[in-house]
Amino acid sequence: MNAFGGYNRQYRKFTDFQAWESQNWFMGTAQRVSGPWTLALVAGGSLEPFTLDPLGSPQVFQTGETYRNAPLIDFQHPHDLVMHLGADVIRTAGAVQITAGAALVGGPPIGPTAFMHRASAIENPQVPLSHHQLDATHISQGVVHAAVATAGVRIDAALFHGQEPDEQRKDLDVGALDSQAVQFSYTRGYWSAQVSTAWLTHPERLYPTDARRHTASVSWTRTDGDRQLAWTAAFGQNRESHGTFDAWLAEGTWRPSRHGAIYSRAEWLDKDILDAGFHPLGVLHRHRTSRVGAFTLGGVVDVVRGRAGQLGLGADISGYRVPANLRDGYGSPVSVHVFVRYHLRRGDAHAHMH
């Protein structure tokens, strides 16, 4: 479990945004092992439908999904109440591991580990601006997948429902398994890397077109007792009928001791803020792209540590590179967060079936 609660202030030309809010995610797993077979059950969710405004969390340059049938711009949507609900069956045969699974809600093999589970992003309450070019499919409403792994190499393929969830954050929007994804990943020691591609059927509710998503990423994570250093570098690309949109991300978290951590994130990516909106069937045009940049620096100091988890006080600040075609509307924006953060001890979030 990871929960943030605090004050969010977005300074922008003409209009400042502020909110008292909580970003939060939780997940639990249960496993049963019988000889070479393992059954793994996973359930996870978020209370953001109750702790964020229905419009979402203010965030300069963020886009993705809708509110009242209009595209969200400068807001991060609340995540759904149910973010994961599925099961995997794993068979080990010598050095080879074969996995098959299904989920009412889950993540097909696309992109790096979703941001809320990445060690390099664990202390950062802000969703990456590149979320919808890298890992937004982590809450796909219907997934079946199969994988084979050996000697650190894993090949994973999935069928899943490609459309993003609707604005009703408390229900399930399971649909046809109309999209596909393939991922090749490699893990060795502190290193992990992946490349993936996905064919998405009508991913955005306002655009009646398909998309292709390519991603590549590499991560390095080293943990030594209470100390940890983790970083991730990633590239994502959406190829859509109205344009191609690239995103680059680099982020890291350094915990030099048990008392706190420092984190940072840098992004450079394409947005179509100027042309976001509804496209009637058969009416397509190229969107104007805006290449934006963002850099965040923050830190957390733990004030309480115990069997129940970690409670910390944190803050961060973000600055932006504003392209010429958005400068009149945005000026020189700055984002600030001040928050309380709670981590549930990992061992307390898992159960075993006998």
Short mmCIF file of all heavy atoms in Angstrom, two decimals, residues 176-214:
data_model
loop_
_atom_site.label_atom_id
_atom_site.label_comp_id
_atom_site.label_asym_id
_atom_site.label_seq_id
_atom_site.Cartn_x
_atom_site.Cartn_y
_atom_site.Cartn_z
N ALA A 176 -14.82 -6.58 -24.99
CA ALA A 176 -14.24 -7.58 -25.87
C ALA A 176 -12.71 -7.54 -25.79
O ALA A 176 -12.10 -6.48 -25.66
CB ALA A 176 -14.69 -7.33 -27.30
N LEU A 177 -12.09 -8.72 -25.92
CA LEU A 177 -10.63 -8.81 -25.96
C LEU A 177 -10.18 -8.49 -27.38
O LEU A 177 -9.88 -9.38 -28.19
CB LEU A 177 -10.18 -10.21 -25.52
CG LEU A 177 -10.64 -10.64 -24.12
CD1 LEU A 177 -10.14 -12.05 -23.80
CD2 LEU A 177 -10.18 -9.66 -23.06
N ASP A 178 -10.14 -7.21 -27.68
CA ASP A 178 -9.95 -6.74 -29.06
C ASP A 178 -8.57 -6.20 -29.35
O ASP A 178 -8.31 -5.69 -30.45
CB ASP A 178 -11.00 -5.67 -29.38
CG ASP A 178 -11.00 -4.53 -28.36
OD1 ASP A 178 -10.05 -4.42 -27.55
OD2 ASP A 178 -11.96 -3.73 -28.37
N SER A 179 -7.65 -6.26 -28.40
CA SER A 179 -6.32 -5.70 -28.56
C SER A 179 -5.27 -6.74 -28.20
O SER A 179 -5.56 -7.70 -27.48
CB SER A 179 -6.16 -4.45 -27.69
OG SER A 179 -7.14 -3.48 -28.02
N GLN A 180 -4.05 -6.53 -28.68
CA GLN A 180 -2.98 -7.51 -28.47
C GLN A 180 -1.70 -6.80 -28.03
O GLN A 180 -1.47 -5.63 -28.37
CB GLN A 180 -2.69 -8.30 -29.76
CG GLN A 180 -3.90 -8.96 -30.39
CD GLN A 180 -4.67 -8.03 -31.30
OE1 GLN A 180 -4.09 -7.24 -32.04
NE2 GLN A 180 -6.00 -8.10 -31.24
N ALA A 181 -0.86 -7.54 -27.30
CA ALA A 181 0.43 -7.02 -26.86
C ALA A 181 1.44 -8.15 -26.79
O ALA A 181 1.09 -9.29 -26.46
CB ALA A 181 0.31 -6.33 -25.50
N VAL A 182 2.69 -7.82 -27.09
CA VAL A 182 3.80 -8.77 -26.98
C VAL A 182 4.95 -8.04 -26.30
O VAL A 182 5.24 -6.87 -26.62
CB VAL A 182 4.26 -9.29 -28.36
CG1 VAL A 182 5.45 -10.22 -28.20
CG2 VAL A 182 3.12 -10.01 -29.06
N GLN A 183 5.62 -8.72 -25.36
CA GLN A 183 6.73 -8.12 -24.63
C GLN A 183 7.88 -9.12 -24.50
O GLN A 183 7.67 -10.30 -24.22
CB GLN A 183 6.28 -7.68 -23.24
CG GLN A 183 7.36 -6.97 -22.43
CD GLN A 183 6.86 -6.61 -21.04
OE1 GLN A 183 6.57 -7.48 -20.23
NE2 GLN A 183 6.73 -5.31 -20.77
N PHE A 184 9.09 -8.59 -24.68
CA PHE A 184 10.31 -9.35 -24.43
C PHE A 184 11.04 -8.65 -23.29
O PHE A 184 11.31 -7.44 -23.37
CB PHE A 184 11.18 -9.38 -25.68
CG PHE A 184 12.53 -10.02 -25.47
CD1 PHE A 184 12.69 -11.39 -25.61
CD2 PHE A 184 13.63 -9.26 -25.11
CE1 PHE A 184 13.93 -11.99 -25.41
CE2 PHE A 184 14.87 -9.84 -24.91
CZ PHE A 184 15.03 -11.21 -25.06
N SER A 185 11.37 -9.39 -22.23
CA SER A 185 12.03 -8.77 -21.08
C SER A 185 13.22 -9.61 -20.64
O SER A 185 13.29 -10.83 -20.89
CB SER A 185 11.06 -8.56 -19.93
OG SER A 185 10.50 -9.79 -19.50
N TYR A 186 14.13 -8.96 -19.92
CA TYR A 186 15.34 -9.62 -19.44
C TYR A 186 15.67 -9.08 -18.07
O TYR A 186 15.65 -7.86 -17.84
CB TYR A 186 16.50 -9.38 -20.40
CG TYR A 186 17.80 -10.03 -19.95
CD1 TYR A 186 17.95 -11.41 -19.95
CD2 TYR A 186 18.87 -9.25 -19.52
CE1 TYR A 186 19.13 -12.01 -19.55
CE2 TYR A 186 20.07 -9.84 -19.12
CZ TYR A 186 20.18 -11.22 -19.13
OH TYR A 186 21.36 -11.80 -18.71
N THR A 187 15.97 -9.97 -17.14
CA THR A 187 16.34 -9.59 -15.78
C THR A 187 17.61 -10.32 -15.38
O THR A 187 17.72 -11.55 -15.56
CB THR A 187 15.22 -9.96 -14.79
OG1 THR A 187 14.01 -9.31 -15.19
CG2 THR A 187 15.56 -9.51 -13.38
N ARG A 188 18.56 -9.54 -14.85
CA ARG A 188 19.79 -10.15 -14.35
C ARG A 188 20.36 -9.25 -13.26
O ARG A 188 20.63 -8.07 -13.50
CB ARG A 188 20.81 -10.33 -15.46
CG ARG A 188 22.11 -10.99 -14.96
CD ARG A 188 23.03 -11.38 -16.09
NE ARG A 188 24.22 -12.03 -15.58
CZ ARG A 188 25.15 -12.58 -16.36
NH1 ARG A 188 25.01 -12.55 -17.68
NH2 ARG A 188 26.22 -13.15 -15.82
N GLY A 189 20.53 -9.81 -12.07
CA GLY A 189 21.08 -9.04 -10.97
C GLY A 189 20.22 -7.82 -10.67
O GLY A 189 19.01 -7.92 -10.49
N TYR A 190 20.85 -6.66 -10.63
CA TYR A 190 20.14 -5.41 -10.34
C TYR A 190 19.41 -4.87 -11.57
O TYR A 190 18.65 -3.90 -11.46
CB TYR A 190 21.12 -4.34 -9.85
CG TYR A 190 21.95 -4.76 -8.65
CD1 TYR A 190 23.33 -4.56 -8.64
CD2 TYR A 190 21.36 -5.33 -7.53
CE1 TYR A 190 24.10 -4.93 -7.54
CE2 TYR A 190 22.12 -5.70 -6.43
CZ TYR A 190 23.49 -5.50 -6.45
OH TYR A 190 24.25 -5.86 -5.35
N TRP A 191 19.64 -5.46 -12.74
CA TRP A 191 19.15 -4.91 -14.00
C TRP A 191 17.87 -5.59 -14.46
O TRP A 191 17.68 -6.79 -14.27
CB TRP A 191 20.20 -5.08 -15.09
CG TRP A 191 21.44 -4.28 -14.87
CD1 TRP A 191 22.57 -4.68 -14.22
CD2 TRP A 191 21.68 -2.94 -15.30
NE1 TRP A 191 23.50 -3.68 -14.21
CE2 TRP A 191 22.99 -2.59 -14.87
CE3 TRP A 191 20.93 -2.00 -16.00
CZ2 TRP A 191 23.55 -1.34 -15.13
CZ3 TRP A 191 21.49 -0.76 -16.27
CH2 TRP A 191 22.78 -0.45 -15.83
N SER A 192 17.00 -4.82 -15.09
CA SER A 192 15.84 -5.36 -15.81
C SER A 192 15.58 -4.46 -17.02
O SER A 192 15.77 -3.23 -16.95
CB SER A 192 14.61 -5.43 -14.91
OG SER A 192 14.24 -4.14 -14.46
N ALA A 193 15.16 -5.07 -18.10
CA ALA A 193 14.90 -4.32 -19.33
C ALA A 193 13.75 -4.97 -20.07
O ALA A 193 13.48 -6.17 -19.90
CB ALA A 193 16.15 -4.26 -20.21
N GLN A 194 13.06 -4.18 -20.89
CA GLN A 194 11.95 -4.73 -21.68
C GLN A 194 11.75 -3.91 -22.94
O GLN A 194 12.05 -2.72 -22.99
CB GLN A 194 10.67 -4.76 -20.86
CG GLN A 194 10.07 -3.41 -20.50
CD GLN A 194 9.21 -2.79 -21.60
OE1 GLN A 194 8.52 -3.50 -22.33
NE2 GLN A 194 9.25 -1.46 -21.72
N VAL A 195 11.22 -4.58 -23.96
CA VAL A 195 10.68 -3.91 -25.14
C VAL A 195 9.31 -4.52 -25.38
O VAL A 195 9.09 -5.72 -25.15
CB VAL A 195 11.58 -4.07 -26.38
CG1 VAL A 195 12.88 -3.32 -26.20
CG2 VAL A 195 11.84 -5.54 -26.68
N SER A 196 8.36 -3.70 -25.83
CA SER A 196 7.01 -4.22 -26.05
C SER A 196 6.35 -3.44 -27.16
O SER A 196 6.72 -2.30 -27.47
CB SER A 196 6.18 -4.11 -24.77
OG SER A 196 6.02 -2.76 -24.36
N THR A 197 5.35 -4.08 -27.74
CA THR A 197 4.52 -3.41 -28.73
C THR A 197 3.08 -3.87 -28.52
O THR A 197 2.83 -5.00 -28.09
CB THR A 197 4.99 -3.71 -30.16
OG1 THR A 197 4.29 -2.87 -31.09
CG2 THR A 197 4.77 -5.16 -30.53
N ALA A 198 2.14 -2.97 -28.80
CA ALA A 198 0.73 -3.28 -28.59
C ALA A 198 -0.11 -2.70 -29.72
O ALA A 198 0.19 -1.62 -30.23
CB ALA A 198 0.25 -2.73 -27.25
N TRP A 199 -1.13 -3.45 -30.09
CA TRP A 199 -2.12 -3.01 -31.07
C TRP A 199 -3.39 -2.69 -30.29
O TRP A 199 -4.06 -3.61 -29.78
CB TRP A 199 -2.35 -4.09 -32.10
CG TRP A 199 -1.15 -4.42 -32.93
CD1 TRP A 199 -0.85 -3.94 -34.18
CD2 TRP A 199 -0.08 -5.32 -32.59
NE1 TRP A 199 0.32 -4.48 -34.64
CE2 TRP A 199 0.82 -5.32 -33.68
CE3 TRP A 199 0.20 -6.10 -31.47
CZ2 TRP A 199 1.98 -6.09 -33.68
CZ3 TRP A 199 1.36 -6.86 -31.46
CH2 TRP A 199 2.23 -6.86 -32.55
N LEU A 200 -3.74 -1.42 -30.19
CA LEU A 200 -4.84 -0.97 -29.35
C LEU A 200 -6.06 -0.63 -30.20
O LEU A 200 -5.97 0.17 -31.14
CB LEU A 200 -4.42 0.26 -28.55
CG LEU A 200 -3.16 0.10 -27.68
CD1 LEU A 200 -2.73 1.46 -27.12
CD2 LEU A 200 -3.41 -0.88 -26.56
N THR A 201 -7.20 -1.21 -29.86
CA THR A 201 -8.45 -0.94 -30.57
C THR A 201 -9.22 0.16 -29.84
O THR A 201 -9.59 -0.01 -28.68
CB THR A 201 -9.31 -2.21 -30.66
OG1 THR A 201 -8.59 -3.21 -31.39
CG2 THR A 201 -10.63 -1.92 -31.35
N HIS A 202 -9.42 1.28 -30.52
CA HIS A 202 -10.15 2.43 -29.98
C HIS A 202 -9.76 2.74 -28.53
O HIS A 202 -10.62 2.76 -27.63
CB HIS A 202 -11.66 2.18 -30.06
CG HIS A 202 -12.19 2.08 -31.45
ND1 HIS A 202 -13.53 1.88 -31.72
CD2 HIS A 202 -11.58 2.14 -32.65
CE1 HIS A 202 -13.70 1.83 -33.04
NE2 HIS A 202 -12.53 1.98 -33.61
N PRO A 203 -8.49 3.00 -28.27
CA PRO A 203 -8.07 3.21 -26.88
C PRO A 203 -8.68 4.45 -26.23
O PRO A 203 -8.97 4.44 -25.03
CB PRO A 203 -6.55 3.35 -26.98
CG PRO A 203 -6.30 3.77 -28.40
CD PRO A 203 -7.36 3.11 -29.20
N GLU A 204 -8.90 5.51 -27.01
CA GLU A 204 -9.45 6.74 -26.45
C GLU A 204 -10.91 6.86 -26.82
O GLU A 204 -11.29 6.70 -27.99
CB GLU A 204 -8.65 7.94 -26.95
CG GLU A 204 -7.18 7.89 -26.56
CD GLU A 204 -6.43 9.10 -27.07
OE1 GLU A 204 -6.83 10.22 -26.71
OE2 GLU A 204 -5.45 8.92 -27.82
N ARG A 205 -11.74 7.17 -25.85
CA ARG A 205 -13.19 7.16 -26.07
C ARG A 205 -13.65 8.25 -27.04
O ARG A 205 -14.69 8.10 -27.68
CB ARG A 205 -13.92 7.30 -24.72
CG ARG A 205 -13.76 6.06 -23.86
CD ARG A 205 -14.48 6.14 -22.55
NE ARG A 205 -14.37 4.85 -21.87
CZ ARG A 205 -15.21 3.85 -22.01
NH1 ARG A 205 -16.26 3.99 -22.80
NH2 ARG A 205 -15.03 2.71 -21.38
N LEU A 206 -12.91 9.34 -27.15
CA LEU A 206 -13.33 10.43 -28.03
C LEU A 206 -12.79 10.30 -29.45
O LEU A 206 -13.18 11.05 -30.33
CB LEU A 206 -12.90 11.77 -27.44
CG LEU A 206 -13.51 12.14 -26.09
CD1 LEU A 206 -13.03 13.52 -25.66
CD2 LEU A 206 -15.02 12.10 -26.13
N TYR A 207 -11.85 9.34 -29.66
CA TYR A 207 -11.25 9.17 -30.98
C TYR A 207 -11.59 7.78 -31.49
O TYR A 207 -11.09 6.79 -30.96
CB TYR A 207 -9.73 9.32 -30.92
CG TYR A 207 -9.25 10.63 -30.38
CD1 TYR A 207 -8.07 10.70 -29.65
CD2 TYR A 207 -9.96 11.81 -30.59
CE1 TYR A 207 -7.60 11.91 -29.15
CE2 TYR A 207 -9.51 13.01 -30.10
CZ TYR A 207 -8.32 13.06 -29.37
OH TYR A 207 -7.87 14.25 -28.88
N PRO A 208 -12.44 7.64 -32.50
CA PRO A 208 -12.86 6.33 -32.99
C PRO A 208 -11.82 5.69 -33.90
O PRO A 208 -12.12 5.24 -35.00
CB PRO A 208 -14.16 6.64 -33.73
CG PRO A 208 -13.94 8.02 -34.26
CD PRO A 208 -13.13 8.74 -33.21
N THR A 209 -10.55 5.68 -33.48
CA THR A 209 -9.47 5.11 -34.28
C THR A 209 -8.61 4.22 -33.41
O THR A 209 -8.62 4.30 -32.18
CB THR A 209 -8.60 6.22 -34.90
OG1 THR A 209 -8.00 6.99 -33.84
CG2 THR A 209 -9.42 7.13 -35.77
N ASP A 210 -7.84 3.35 -34.08
CA ASP A 210 -6.93 2.45 -33.38
C ASP A 210 -5.56 3.12 -33.21
O ASP A 210 -5.31 4.19 -33.76
CB ASP A 210 -6.77 1.14 -34.17
CG ASP A 210 -8.10 0.42 -34.34
OD1 ASP A 210 -9.02 0.69 -33.54
OD2 ASP A 210 -8.20 -0.41 -35.26
N ALA A 211 -4.70 2.46 -32.44
CA ALA A 211 -3.37 3.01 -32.19
C ALA A 211 -2.37 1.87 -32.04
O ALA A 211 -2.74 0.74 -31.72
CB ALA A 211 -3.36 3.89 -30.94
N ARG A 212 -1.12 2.19 -32.25
CA ARG A 212 -0.01 1.27 -32.01
C ARG A 212 0.88 1.90 -30.95
O ARG A 212 1.21 3.08 -31.02
CB ARG A 212 0.76 1.06 -33.31
CG ARG A 212 1.88 0.02 -33.23
CD ARG A 212 1.36 -1.39 -33.40
NE ARG A 212 2.45 -2.36 -33.39
CZ ARG A 212 3.07 -2.79 -34.49
NH1 ARG A 212 2.72 -2.31 -35.68
NH2 ARG A 212 4.04 -3.69 -34.42
N ARG A 213 1.27 1.11 -29.95
CA ARG A 213 2.13 1.64 -28.88
C ARG A 213 3.41 0.82 -28.80
O ARG A 213 3.37 -0.41 -28.71
CB ARG A 213 1.41 1.59 -27.54
CG ARG A 213 2.24 2.11 -26.35
CD ARG A 213 1.37 2.28 -25.11
NE ARG A 213 0.37 3.31 -25.35
CZ ARG A 213 -0.77 3.43 -24.65
NH1 ARG A 213 -1.03 2.57 -23.66
NH2 ARG A 213 -1.63 4.38 -24.95
N HIS A 214 4.56 1.50 -28.85
CA HIS A 214 5.86 0.87 -28.70
C HIS A 214 6.51 1.41 -27.43
O HIS A 214 6.44 2.62 -27.16
CB HIS A 214 6.77 1.19 -29.89
CG HIS A 214 6.21 0.80 -31.22
ND1 HIS A 214 6.03 -0.51 -31.60
CD2 HIS A 214 5.78 1.55 -32.27
CE1 HIS A 214 5.52 -0.56 -32.82
NE2 HIS A 214 5.36 0.68 -33.24
#
